[in-house]
Amino acid sequence: MADHGLREAVIGENLQNVEIILENIVGLELLRRGYKVCVGRVGTKEIDFVAEKQGNKLYVQVCYLLGGESTIRREFGSLLEIRDNYPKLVLYQEGPFRGNYEGIPAVRIEDWLMGEDGI
């Protein structure tokens, strides 16, 4: 994770890596909210963020476009394989998907940043 403004100043071309920017924004916000943050893995699948605070966990997947069936299966699939009862969340920037998928909510990143998701 890095401040994306600093990354742009050093590396440039951030707009070509929008998913990296979104993951950085979400990761920094989780830290700001007091979570200890790490990357997770379930089998061969990666979990973008496993956030822990006061003995509780939150699993988060981040994507730019939540649209096609293959993207939906990929983003929700790794979370569905986690067998505990901690909250799971998919954050996205664009796409027609609304609501939840098998009980896992999908929330626009802007809404989550504004605290409109209840998590």
Side-chain angles (χ1 to χ4, degrees), residues 2-116:
D3 179 284
H4 65 273
L6 293 174
R7 184 179 184 278
E8 175 66 24
V10 174
I11 299 173
E13 301 181 16
N14 261 349
L15 294 178
Q16 294 179 359
N17 299 308
V18 69
E19 291 206 3
I20 292 171
I21 295 170
L22 295 175
E23 286 180 2
N24 275 330
I25 290 169
V26 170
L28 290 169
E29 179 63 15
L30 287 167
L31 291 171
R32 190 194 69 75
R33 291 182 184 188
Y35 286 95
K36 177 183 168 191
V37 178
C38 64
V39 175
R41 186 163 297 282
V42 57
T44 60
K45 298 177 182 173
E46 182 178 288
I47 307 296
D48 290 335
F49 298 105
V50 178
E52 295 185 52
K53 180 168 68 171
Q54 299 174 347
N56 292 308
K57 291 181 185 177
L58 171 65
Y59 300 100
V60 181
Q61 287 292 98
V62 180
C63 68
Y64 172 70
L65 180 62
L66 190 56
E69 187 62 32
S70 64
T71 303
I72 291 168
R73 280 195 310 268
R74 182 186 69 236
E75 297 300 333
F76 287 94
S78 57
L79 296 176
L80 288 169
E81 289 188 26
I82 300 170
R83 299 294 176 207
D84 63 27
N85 291 317
Y86 289 110
K88 298 161 184 76
L89 180 65
V90 172
L91 298 175
Y92 68 99
Q93 178 72 42
E94 300 287 337
F97 189 89
R98 298 290 183 269
N100 70 64
Y101 183 85
E102 295 191 33
I104 299 173
V107 177
R108 292 205 55 205
I109 290 174
E110 293 90 342
D111 295 336
W112 179 76
L113 290 169
M114 298 292 292
E116 297 175 12

